[in-house]
Amino acid sequence: MEDSTDSTSTNRNTTLQNMSFLTIDPFDHFFIHALDHPSMTLVPKVLDGTNYAIWRRSMLISLSTKNKLGFINGTILVPGESNPKYMLWQRCNDMVLSWILNSLNQELANSVLYVETSSEIWLDLQERFSQGNFSHHYQVQRSIVELQQNQDSIFTYYTKIKTL
């Protein structure tokens, strides 16, 4: 029996040594914190098509804090499937995909559900919704021109301007 125990122990040590190259630094893009999970909601309001600019900014901040911006902006490239880091990339990409899908309303989520990478979803949403920013920009400019302080305090007036 001692021989099989020694053999099992040796196999376990060999496996651990072979996997040591996969040890991930917490600052590495492939690191996923123990508290991160696919059903997390990263932003307070889901994207419904009318709030793209706010949603985008919130997602950028959240993904930046998790060191995952490279997955949506394309700077973290897909390693080849034979590369030892491919599985790590796949896991992180799937996590970011989940976070994005959780931040979309049901109709939008269904429309991008089968997209393979988080950068492809990001580009798809950008192409769909950043086009409407021209009319929004015009509306904000018009609101600024029409805004009057009246009897408001300077702080209230300033807050109204900032919310535009």
Side-chain angles (χ1 to χ4, degrees), residues 3 8 11 31-32 44 57 60 64-66 71 73 96 98 106 114 117 122 125-126 138-139 144 153 156 161 163-164:
D3 290 337
T8 303
N11 288 342
F31 177 78
I32 295 178
R57 177 74 175 134
L60 287 172
S64 175
T65 64
K66 296 185 173 300
F71 286 91
N73 67 20
V96 175
S98 295
Q106 192 64 45
Y114 296 102
T117 68
W122 193 259
L125 296 172
Q126 184 176 356
Y138 171 76
Q139 189 64 32
I144 290 171
S153 71
T156 303
I161 291 172
T163 57
L164 295 175

Side-chain angles (χ1 to χ4, degrees), residues 60-98:
L60 287 172
I61 291 168
S62 294
L63 291 171
S64 175
T65 64
K66 296 185 173 300
N67 201 21
K68 301 293 183 266
L69 283 179
F71 286 91
I72 61 166
N73 67 20
T75 58
I76 298 175
L77 302 176
V78 182
E81 288 188 33
S82 61
N83 187 318
K85 291 217 171 193
Y86 178 78
M87 296 286 289
L88 298 172
W89 177 88
Q90 184 66 57
R91 183 177 65 140
C92 288
N93 179 67
D94 288 345
M95 186 71 76
V96 175
L97 280 171
S98 295

Side-chain angles (χ1 to χ4, degrees), residues 3-129:
D3 290 337
S4 69
T5 304
D6 289 341
S7 174
T8 303
S9 178
T10 302
N11 288 342
R12 210 173 293 160
N13 288 340
T14 303
T15 301
L16 288 174
Q17 287 173 350
N18 289 341
M19 291 181 65
S20 67
F21 68 89
L22 293 177
T23 302
I24 301 176
D25 177 347
F27 297 103
D28 190 291
H29 297 290
F30 296 132
F31 177 78
I32 295 178
H33 192 275
L35 296 177
D36 290 341
H37 54 87
S39 60
M40 282 181 77
T41 303
L42 298 185
V43 294
K45 295 189 180 190
V46 298
L47 176 62
D48 61 12
T50 63
N51 59 342
Y52 176 73
I54 293 168
W55 174 86
R56 181 181 181 278
R57 177 74 175 134
S58 297
M59 283 298 291
L60 287 172
I61 291 168
S62 294
L63 291 171
S64 175
T65 64
K66 296 185 173 300
N67 201 21
K68 301 293 183 266
L69 283 179
F71 286 91
I72 61 166
N73 67 20
T75 58
I76 298 175
L77 302 176
V78 182
E81 288 188 33
S82 61
N83 187 318
K85 291 217 171 193
Y86 178 78
M87 296 286 289
L88 298 172
W89 177 88
Q90 184 66 57
R91 183 177 65 140
C92 288
N93 179 67
D94 288 345
M95 186 71 76
V96 175
L97 280 171
S98 295
W99 292 337
I100 292 172
L101 290 170
N102 291 339
S103 72
L104 305 177
N105 71 14
Q106 192 64 45
E107 184 180 339
L108 288 173
N110 288 341
S111 74
V112 294
L113 185 60
Y114 296 102
V115 175
E116 298 277 329
T117 68
S118 48
S119 63
E120 289 175 298
I121 285 183
W122 193 259
L123 286 173
D124 181 299
L125 296 172
Q126 184 176 356
E127 287 172 4
R128 283 194 224 185
F129 299 112

